[in-house]
Amino acid sequence: MDKPDVTFAAWDPGREIVLDPGSPEPLYFQVSRQLHAAIEDGRLPAGARLGNEVDLAANLRLSRPTVRQAIQTLVNQGLLVRRRGVGTQVVRTKVARPLRLSSLFDDLTGLGGKPESAVLANRVENADAEVAELLEAPGLAHVRRLTRIRSTDGEPLALMNNYLPDGIIDPADDELRERGLYQLLRAAGIRLHAAEQHIGARLATGEDAELLHEEPGAALLTMQRTTYDDTGRVVEYGWHVYRASRYTFNLSLTNGPQ
C-alpha cells in the first residue's frame, strides 16, 4: 500500500507560536490566530501537516483540550482538515476574498421584498457555560441575546434567535427593525469570513404557531449557524425557525479536498 503524500510543516507551531498568559485573549484563540496568520501568509502551505495535539500541547505548555479547541476553530473555517492515518493538514492557503455571508434580511431585500422585523428581545445577559461554548469563548461573562420575528409583505416568515459576545455591537431596537444583523456587524467593522451551518426540520409548537401564524404541528425548517470573522473569532451564533410553507434553502455544492 502506498504511503500518504504528507508534507511536514517547515514552520513549527510548537516553536514559533508565542503566548501571553496575561492577555485578555483566551489561550486557544492566541494559538488559532497565529496558526491562521501562518496559513494566510504561506508559512503553512496547503498540504502541510501539523504535529499531533499531544506534542503541540507539550511544546506550548498548554492542555490538550486548549490545543484541540484552537485546531477545531480552523477546521470549522475550512483551513485545516483532520484525516485518518494522516493527522491534521492545511487544506488551502490564502482566501482570495472574504466569503460574503447573507442574512434573511439581505436575501429578502435582494428579491425586491420589504422585510420587516418585530424585536422581541434585545438585551445583555449573563453567559453560562453552554453559551460560552457555542460562542467558542471560554470565560465569556456576558452575551447579547436577540429575538426577532422577520416578516415580508406583512406576513411572518421566521423566528430568529441570536447570541453575540457582548461588546461586538450595541444595536438599538430601531436599528434591528430597519437593518439586518449582518449589515450592522459589517457597519461596525466586522469582516465576516465563514460560517458553519446546520439545517433541519421540526413541527411547530403552540408558541411557534402563534408567532408565525401557522397551525400547531405545521412543518418548520430549522437552522443553526456559527459565524466567524476573518480572525477566527465567533461573532454570532443563531438558531432560527422558518415557515416551510413560505421558505426553502437553496444550496450550491462544490468538490471539497479529495
Side-chain angles (χ1 to χ4, degrees), residues 47-63:
R49 176 182 168 184
L50 301 185
N52 65 60
E53 292 177 0
V54 174
D55 290 342
L56 186 55
N59 290 336
L60 295 175
R61 298 183 180 179
L62 294 175
S63 68

Side-chain angles (χ1 to χ4, degrees), residues 79-136:
L79 296 175
L80 297 177
V81 64
R82 290 187 172 101
R83 292 195 173 106
R84 186 183 301 276
V86 175
T88 303
Q89 283 185 283
V90 178
V91 292
R92 60 180 178 176
T93 51
K94 297 188 70 173
V95 177
R97 61 183 175 84
L99 178 63
R100 181 167 179 81
L101 302 171
S102 65
S103 66
L104 179 57
F105 190 98
D106 297 331
D107 295 340
L108 293 175
T109 301
L111 292 171
K114 295 182 178 179
E116 303 169 348
S117 298
V119 180
L120 305 184
N122 175 20
R123 59 179 180 266
V124 175
E125 303 176 342
N126 292 332
D128 59 23
E130 180 180 1
V131 173
E133 182 176 358
L134 290 172
L135 294 174
E136 299 180 14

